[in-house]
Amino acid sequence: MKPTAAPHRHHFLYFADPMCSWCYGFSPVIRQLADAFADRVGLRIVMGGLRAGNTQAMREKDRAYIRDAWTRVGEASGQPFDFAFFERETFTYDTEPACRAVVAMRQMAPDKALGFLGQVSKAFYATNRDTTDIEVLSDIAAEAGEDRAAFHALANSAELKAETMRDFLFAQQAGVHGFPCLLIGNETDGYSLITNGFRPIDGMVEGVGAWLEQAEAA
C-alpha cells in the first residue's frame, strides 16, 4: 500500500493501532498537530496491526503486562482508562477488526478517519467496549454519523480485509515495529521522523513548524 496523493506538498504519515494503549495516549497530540497544520500538511493514517490475528486468550501474565502499560500511559498522557476490563473472564486481544474498522472509515469518510480512530480507542480503553467485535465497531461508526448497515457491509467485505492487510504490510516494509509512529514529508522528497513512540505535545508544534519552514524554503 502507498499513501494516496495529498493536496498538500507534505503530509503526516501516521502509523497506529486503535487498540494500542500508547496510541490512545497519543490521540490528543496527533489531533492537535493535525489541527495546527491543517492548511499546510495533509494526513495519511496507516494501520499497524499491533496484535492482528491473535487467537490466544489473555493469560494472567498478559493481564499484568497490560495493566502496567495502561497505568503508565494514563500517568504519561492523562487519558482515562476503565480497569473494569480486567474483570472479564476471558478476552482475545485481536486488533485486526478495530484496524479494519478504521480502514473502512478512511474509505467511507476520509475526513473522519482520525476522529474515528480516537473514538474506537476511547471506546475500548475508557468505556470497556469490546472493539474486537465488528458489531460494536459498526455501532461506533453509526455514532460517528455513518450508515451502520453500509459500514458493516464494507468492513466485512473481502476488499476491505485485503486493504487492511496492505496497511499492515506497508507498515512492515517501512520498518515500523512500534506505535505510535509519526513522520512528515512526501514520497518524492522522503520522510522525516517526528516521533517513534508516545511524546507529549510540548515543543512538537514548534518543531514541525520549523521543519516546514526549512522544507518549504528548499
Side-chain angles (χ1 to χ4, degrees):
M1 172 201 151
K2 288 186 176 181
T4 54
H8 305 84
R9 179 181 172 189
H10 302 290
H11 56 264
F12 291 117
L13 185 57
Y14 183 44
F15 296 89
D17 188 301
M19 294 177 70
C20 158
S21 57
W22 287 109
C23 296
Y24 170 57
F26 194 67
S27 291
V29 179
I30 183 61
R31 177 81 269 171
Q32 289 178 67
L33 288 173
D35 289 346
F37 296 99
D39 59 342
R40 299 171 68 189
V41 182
L43 174 66
R44 295 293 171 255
I45 300 171
V46 180
M47 292 293 93
L50 178 65
R51 298 183 184 183
N54 175 53
T55 59
Q56 184 178 57
M58 284 196 309
R59 300 160 294 180
E60 283 307 312
K61 68 176 184 179
D62 300 323
R63 290 175 182 270
Y65 174 84
I66 293 168
R67 182 187 289 273
D68 178 66
W70 288 19
T71 299
R72 288 186 288 116
V73 173
E75 290 172 350
S77 68
Q79 290 280 72
F81 286 83
D82 184 352
F83 284 85
F85 167 81
F86 296 99
E87 298 172 9
R88 292 174 181 262
E89 289 187 9
T90 185
F91 186 78
T92 301
Y93 211 120
D94 176 14
T95 70
E96 189 275 342
C99 288
R100 181 161 28 104
V102 175
V103 174
M105 184 62 75
R106 190 179 70 195
Q107 190 172 121
M108 287 186 75
D111 290 345
K112 291 184 178 180
L114 181 61
F116 184 69
L117 170 59
Q119 285 175 276
V120 173
S121 293
K122 183 178 181 180
F124 178 59
Y125 290 109
T127 61
N128 194 24
R129 295 170 76 178
D130 185 357
T131 53
T132 68
D133 185 346
I134 200 66
E135 300 299 329
V136 172
L137 293 161
S138 298
D139 289 342
I140 299 170
E143 292 160 15
E146 295 305 306
D147 181 271
R148 189 188 188 283
F151 181 90
H152 188 278
L154 176 61
N156 278 320
S157 69
E159 172 196 353
L160 208 286
K161 291 177 181 179
E163 180 69 14
T164 304
M165 291 303 298
R166 284 192 287 272
D167 266 38
F168 300 161
L169 181 60
F170 177 61
Q172 292 170 8
Q173 291 176 336
V176 176
H177 302 293
F179 311 102
C181 182
L182 180 64
L183 301 93
I184 188 171
N186 59 55
E187 289 186 61
T188 302
D189 302 317
Y191 293 91
S192 295
L193 180 67
I194 296 174
T195 186
N196 185 17
F198 171 83
R199 276 182 58 188
I201 191 66
D202 301 345
M204 293 185 74
V205 171
E206 295 81 0
V208 171
W211 186 93
L212 280 169
E213 286 185 16
Q214 184 176 7
E216 291 169 352

